[in-house]
Amino acid sequence: MNGDIHNFFNIDGAIVSALSGILPAWALVIVAGLIGIIALLVFLVPSQLATIWIERKLIGRFQIRYGPNRVGLFGLLQPLADAVKIVGKESITPAGVDKWVFWLAPIVTFIPALLVYAVIPFGPNLILADLDIGILYLISISSLGVIPVFMAGWSSNNKYALLGAMRSVAQMVSYEIPLVLSIISVVMMTGSLKIGEMVSFQADNLWMFLLQPLALLIFFISASAELNRTPMDIVEGESEIIAGYHTEYSGFKFSMFYVAEYTNVLAVSAILSAVFFGGWLSAPILDLLPAWLWFIAKIYFFFCVFVWIRATLPRMRADQLMGLAWKFLLPLALVNILVTGIEVYMNLHPLLISFINIALAIGLVAGWSELIGNRAVRNERRQYIPVVPVVR
Amino acid sequence: MVAQDSAIKTQPIVINMGPQHPSTHGVFRLRLVLDGETVIDVEPVFGYLHRSKEKLEEERTYLQTLPITDRMDYLSSMTNNLGCSMAIEKLANIPVPERAQYLRVIMAELTRISSHCFAQGMQLQEMGAWATPLMYFIREREKIIDLFEMVSGARLTFNYIRPGGVSQDIPPEFIPACYKFIDEMPGYIDEYEQLLVQNEILRSRTMGVGVLPRDLAINSGASGPVLRASGINWDLRKQDPYLVYDRFDFDVPVGQHGDTYDRFMVRMYEMRESVKIVRQALDQLPPGPVTANLPIVIIPPPGDAYAHIETARGTLGFYMVSDGGANPWRFHVRAPSLINLTALREMIIGHKVADTVVIFGSIDIVLGEVDR
């Protein structure tokens, strides 16, 4: 089985067993963990560069320009050039900042972004820690992301940064709730908090996006709000509050925020593909590729979807964003939980559940947005011909 | 101002938005007093770009004044040339050949389209649409700039329209290129409308935001799309037709609510109307000379003259006083950007920080013209 690209844990096992004669047992545990962490970083660091390149190139195409094409073939070395530039910049600590917090925030911001990957299943058995409370761990870790943002905003001694931090707390706390509730309905169906088991559930039944379309929608919107991506990037809305919480950051400290943002986007894409789109499962006909490649392909697909949305939509206003969370997503998530509960209790066939839930999702989203959405705004028709008498 | 039922002590914060800020269209400063996210007071501060243009003009001969007007409203320098030239012509009684008048109309309307393109793009940029709409609008602006480059050789400060006509006749390839552009442009405008106008985020960001009531619009002296969005049918091309505007068939789009959405849409419709005007002007373009025979140094008789035109931003007026010398004795510009800002405070107060930049952008100022 050695050399099988379908399972990297063979390599891990080989290394550990080779060392087992030399090292004591406690050291082996540490070595095994370290191998996993290094493996994750081996995925993450090139991913950073790849995502930066993909985003810049895609956004360029969306904006009828070429994107980077000067550094290397197709501009492939552009992310490296970006990295060199940003690290080479002077790292300014403005006067009057709270130095400790100011320095700590960029470091702290990267930790939850990285910790999330511990429970992400790249393949069957290819998961660093398949915790029993995997999804709970994931949500709790990702909600820590608000703390470094607030630390950065508060310590910067800058009013724009403070505004951004205030917005971020309001936004992230609001969107945490529909996010969790949308996951709850998924958990009710799978009956497990383990992410690995969520994927195997989808192997036995339908993929979760067919079973829980409404949860997918809510999760997607809430997650992009958590990520501060357009149309919900009010936290760093550059046309309003310049750069929000990281206005005062520069050089390497800024790059930490930057890297954390992309890591988070990838993490959310990973969760999306694991929980809703079958994780490492392949499409039925294309079983040749290894599972982890499928998973990574899905991650990058959802990353591209995030880029697409970013390139298309204008930003919402802070109060409209809160309204969306509390008035729209939260009630829908609650209804979804109720319906899912009934379905699970009655033990319906997955196909029937899928049918009901898709109909429910379409009906609820359309109906609820008609009912409470700004229908007046959406349907208003205005005339722009001079109906007013001429003023002389 | 303060949360009513709360024992927590709160205080308004003061933010200096600008002069260095991504959304202030240059070096403009808004001193905002905020209660949380809500603006409770705002004080516009400008003058950071003051280059004493009017005084500079008074040190130059009449022909030399034109290049400086290019640099006032640098997004529509053709119309600045036009206004200045018209004032000089009025002062010195210079006749303008008919072909030059048509060319001036074509250039002025193309300028309106290009300026509106930029305004719309920047407006969406300020709404956070991350440069995508801006790049699309700039695509069309580039085409117009290419046309201008064809006639004048420049891409930003054209200095094409001169007293007595235009600096040179259009090259033969201009007319087919211009026809091609005006054939394409309505399709592009449809594209924008499909992408943007029905977008719910855009609508909820702009409808009812930054309302400029009809009375206030008149009292504050607003002009251009800002005034027309507030429901006043006032367009100098119709009210006081200059050049040959009375020969063309076009409508003046007028809004009813005076909010940001109306200003946005009025500009959108004005682009269509401008396309119509350009097409008619190209169809009717007569042959003949493009400039009057003028001495190198124009010396008008003593007196004063005021000429005003409808630019993309509103009423642009040039007032000149001659003492019989080679230089204007007094040179004054009525800049629409500056005067449209008069009601800014009333429009912004009570809205959120995020709306501030949107409202500010919807007035569509060019700092070069505000500060001169």
Side-chain angles (χ1 to χ4, degrees):
Chain A
M1 279 292 280
N2 272 345
D4 179 13
I5 54 164
H6 287 75
N7 195 345
F8 283 128
F9 264 61
N10 296 331
I11 307 168
D12 192 9
I15 296 171
V16 172
S17 57
L19 290 174
S20 60
I22 311 163
L23 293 175
W26 57 269
L28 279 180
V29 176
I30 295 173
V31 167
L34 274 179
I35 291 170
I37 292 166
I38 289 164
L40 273 185
L41 286 176
V42 165
F43 167 69
L44 278 177
V45 173
S47 283
Q48 289 297 328
L49 303 177
T51 47
I52 290 171
W53 183 79
I54 291 172
E55 170 144 31
R56 291 191 62 169
K57 207 75 184 167
L58 261 185
I59 290 271
R61 289 295 172 175
F62 278 118
Q63 298 178 351
I64 46 173
R65 51 191 179 84
Y66 288 107
N69 63 356
R70 280 289 170 272
V71 194
L73 193 64
F74 306 119
L76 273 169
L77 295 178
Q78 185 69 40
L80 281 178
D82 283 356
V84 169
K85 185 206 79 171
I86 209 160
V87 172
K89 280 198 167 182
E90 187 187 356
S91 197
I92 302 166
T93 308
V97 302
D98 187 337
K99 263 193 188 146
W100 269 99
V101 185
F102 187 76
W103 274 87
L104 211 54
I107 302 165
V108 173
T109 194
F110 195 61
I111 293 171
L114 204 56
L115 282 179
V116 163
Y117 284 88
V119 293
I120 285 175
F122 286 86
N125 303 322
L126 201 59
I127 176 166
L128 193 60
D130 200 0
L131 299 178
D132 287 339
I133 51 158
I135 199 86
L136 200 61
Y137 166 87
L138 212 149
I139 287 164
S140 51
I141 291 294
S142 65
S143 66
L144 284 179
V146 66
I147 293 170
V149 169
F150 195 72
M151 281 166 72
W154 184 256
S155 65
S156 289
N157 192 24
N158 178 314
K159 287 165 186 169
Y160 289 112
L162 185 62
L163 270 180
M166 273 159 44
R167 286 177 173 195
S168 96
V169 173
Q171 181 189 2
M172 293 202 187
V173 169
S174 302
Y175 275 88
E176 203 66 43
I177 295 159
L179 185 82
V180 173
L181 290 182
S182 70
I183 288 288
I184 281 180
S185 55
V186 175
V187 170
M188 284 163 73
M189 295 210 89
T190 57
S192 169
L193 288 167
K194 268 181 146 175
I195 298 183
E197 279 185 22
M198 286 186 159
V199 179
S200 11
F201 173 85
Q202 296 177 68
D204 303 334
N205 298 287
L206 292 168
W207 286 9
M208 199 49 87
F209 75 98
L210 290 171
L211 292 171
Q212 287 288 345
L214 196 56
L216 169 67
L217 184 80
I218 295 165
F219 182 85
F220 192 83
I221 295 174
S222 313
S224 56
E226 293 271 308
L227 292 172
N228 304 327
R229 306 275 296 179
T230 326
M232 301 166 177
D233 61 339
I234 57 165
V235 173
E236 47 194 76
E238 91 279 354
S239 62
E240 299 152 17
I241 51 172
I242 303 179
Y245 63 94
H246 54 57
T247 303
E248 292 290 357
Y249 284 89
S250 57
F252 199 80
K253 280 182 284 184
F254 171 75
S255 77
M256 290 302 281
F257 284 111
Y258 197 74
V259 166
E261 185 190 325
Y262 280 89
T263 316
N264 278 328
V265 176
L266 279 180
V268 165
S269 309
I271 300 164
L272 259 175
S273 20
V275 175
F276 290 98
F277 288 87
W280 64 78
L281 303 175
S282 55
I285 37 170
L286 290 167
D287 223 359
L288 300 167
L289 296 174
W292 53 270
L293 205 58
W294 268 105
F295 189 66
I296 290 174
K298 282 176 189 172
I299 292 178
Y300 276 90
F301 173 76
F302 287 110
F303 178 76
C304 292
V305 172
F306 278 118
V307 174
W308 177 24
I309 291 171
R310 181 178 193 182
T312 310
L313 291 177
R315 184 185 306 126
M316 296 171 85
R317 208 169 54 207
D319 54 327
Q320 294 165 348
L321 203 57
M322 298 303 138
L324 182 70
W326 292 103
K327 290 189 211 153
F328 191 83
L329 298 179
L330 183 60
L332 289 196
L334 290 173
V335 173
N336 195 34
I337 288 176
L338 177 72
V339 174
T340 310
I342 295 169
E343 283 164 353
V344 171
Y345 181 74
M346 291 169 70
N347 210 358
L348 297 177
H349 189 269
L351 274 175
L352 186 61
I353 291 181
S354 162
F355 183 74
I356 294 173
N357 280 355
I358 289 174
L360 185 81
I362 295 169
L364 270 182
V365 170
W368 197 244
S369 61
E370 273 299 296
L371 198 67
I372 65 124
N374 30 11
R375 186 174 53 181
V377 163
R378 193 176 335 122
N379 297 339
E380 187 162 348
R381 295 286 173 271
R382 293 185 180 180
Q383 292 288 316
Y384 291 96
I385 46 165
V387 287
V388 197
V390 169
V391 182
R392 268 282 174 192
Chain B
M1 186 183 290
V2 178
Q4 275 85 21
D5 312 330
S6 162
I8 303 169
K9 185 172 164 288
T10 64
Q11 63 178 51
I13 60 171
V14 179
I15 276 195
N16 273 310
M17 194 176 258
Q20 312 297 337
H21 186 278
S23 305
T24 50
H25 296 232
V27 278
F28 191 82
R29 181 151 75 97
L30 285 166
R31 189 178 163 279
L32 301 174
V33 183
L34 303 180
D35 174 21
E37 283 268 327
T38 313
V39 181
I40 52 177
D41 196 11
V42 57
E43 182 192 346
V45 184
F46 42 82
Y48 293 96
L49 202 63
H50 185 68
R51 295 151 296 171
S52 61
K53 296 252 150 163
E54 288 166 1
K55 188 64 192 166
L56 283 173
E57 306 274 34
E58 288 162 18
E59 304 299 318
R60 279 161 170 73
T61 65
Y62 284 95
L63 207 54
Q64 284 171 345
T65 58
L66 286 161
I68 291 184
T69 61
D70 275 335
R71 286 150 182 84
M72 287 179 185
D73 181 353
Y74 39 76
L75 289 179
S76 53
S77 40
M78 283 281 190
T79 45
N80 289 13
N81 293 163
L82 177 60
C84 186
S85 303
M86 279 170 60
I88 296 169
E89 284 153 11
K90 221 169 176 176
L91 197 60
N93 287 320
I94 301 168
V96 182
E98 204 180 9
R99 183 175 172 86
Q101 300 211 12
Y102 273 93
L103 289 180
R104 284 176 170 193
V105 168
I106 293 170
M107 298 310 158
E109 292 308 314
L110 286 176
T111 299
R112 192 184 313 279
I113 299 173
S114 81
S115 174
H116 280 350
C117 275
F118 210 78
Q120 305 291 64
M122 287 312 291
Q123 171 86 79
L124 285 149
Q125 172 87 337
E126 275 143 24
M127 260 176 244
W130 222 65
T132 309
L134 178 66
M135 297 306 284
Y136 279 79
F137 280 111
I138 280 179
R139 174 184 65 181
E140 271 62 78
R141 185 171 178 271
E142 281 300 307
K143 289 175 180 162
I144 297 171
I145 303 289
D146 285 344
L147 290 175
F148 286 164
E149 191 183 8
M150 225 180 258
V151 297
S152 71
R155 291 180 65 84
L156 186 68
T157 52
F158 308 108
N159 194 16
Y160 177 65
I161 296 171
R162 305 269 173 88
V166 295
S167 71
Q168 64 242 317
D169 203 351
I170 48 173
E173 69 268 21
F174 175 81
I175 289 179
C178 192
Y179 266 121
K180 183 165 174 288
F181 172 74
I182 58 174
D183 287 340
E184 287 170 353
M185 190 62 196
Y188 290 135
I189 300 174
D190 290 341
E191 197 182 11
Y192 304 145
E193 290 195 342
Q194 276 172 11
L195 180 68
L196 302 168
V197 173
Q198 293 304 322
N199 186 316
E200 197 171 333
I201 298 178
L202 183 136
R203 284 180 155 233
S204 54
R205 282 298 301 274
T206 52
M207 280 186 170
V209 170
V211 175
L212 179 63
R214 201 184 144 87
D215 299 344
L216 186 60
I218 297 175
N219 291 345
S220 64
S223 56
V226 177
L227 180 73
R228 287 193 285 276
S230 294
I232 295 143
N233 186 3
W234 177 262
D235 188 324
L236 286 177
R237 293 174 294 172
K238 289 277 192 197
Q239 311 301 327
D240 181 16
Y242 52 96
L243 298 176
V244 287
Y245 273 112
D246 46 357
R247 301 184 196 172
F248 305 124
D249 167 40
F250 64 100
D251 293 324
V252 177
V254 173
Q256 290 159 30
H257 299 74
D259 55 7
T260 306
Y261 184 77
D262 270 1
R263 287 190 279 276
F264 184 82
M265 289 306 290
V266 162
R267 290 201 180 93
M268 214 61 141
Y269 280 86
E270 271 186 16
M271 286 200 266
R272 288 187 192 278
E273 298 304 322
S274 292
V275 170
K276 267 161 71 179
I277 297 173
V278 174
R279 184 184 300 281
Q280 292 170 51
L282 280 175
D283 290 343
Q284 298 174 18
L285 187 64
V290 292
T291 181
N293 283 326
L294 284 182
I296 292 169
V297 178
I298 302 166
I299 301 185
D304 62 344
Y306 176 75
H308 56 188
I309 58 166
E310 184 75 26
T311 70
R313 272 160 261 285
T315 303
L316 174 67
F318 281 87
Y319 178 68
M320 286 178 208
V321 181
S322 161
D323 58 354
N327 309 335
W329 181 79
R330 176 79 176 94
F331 190 104
H332 178 70
V333 183
R334 183 223 185 266
S337 293
L338 173 65
I339 293 168
N340 287 352
L341 281 176
T342 314
L344 182 67
R345 186 170 181 273
E346 282 72 17
M347 286 155 80
I348 288 181
I349 285 181
H351 289 294
K352 307 279 184 239
V353 188
D355 291 330
T356 307
V357 290
V358 174
I359 297 166
F360 183 70
S362 75
I363 299 174
D364 181 25
I365 63 159
V366 167
L367 247 291
E369 194 179 49
V370 173
D371 290 342
R372 297 196 294 283

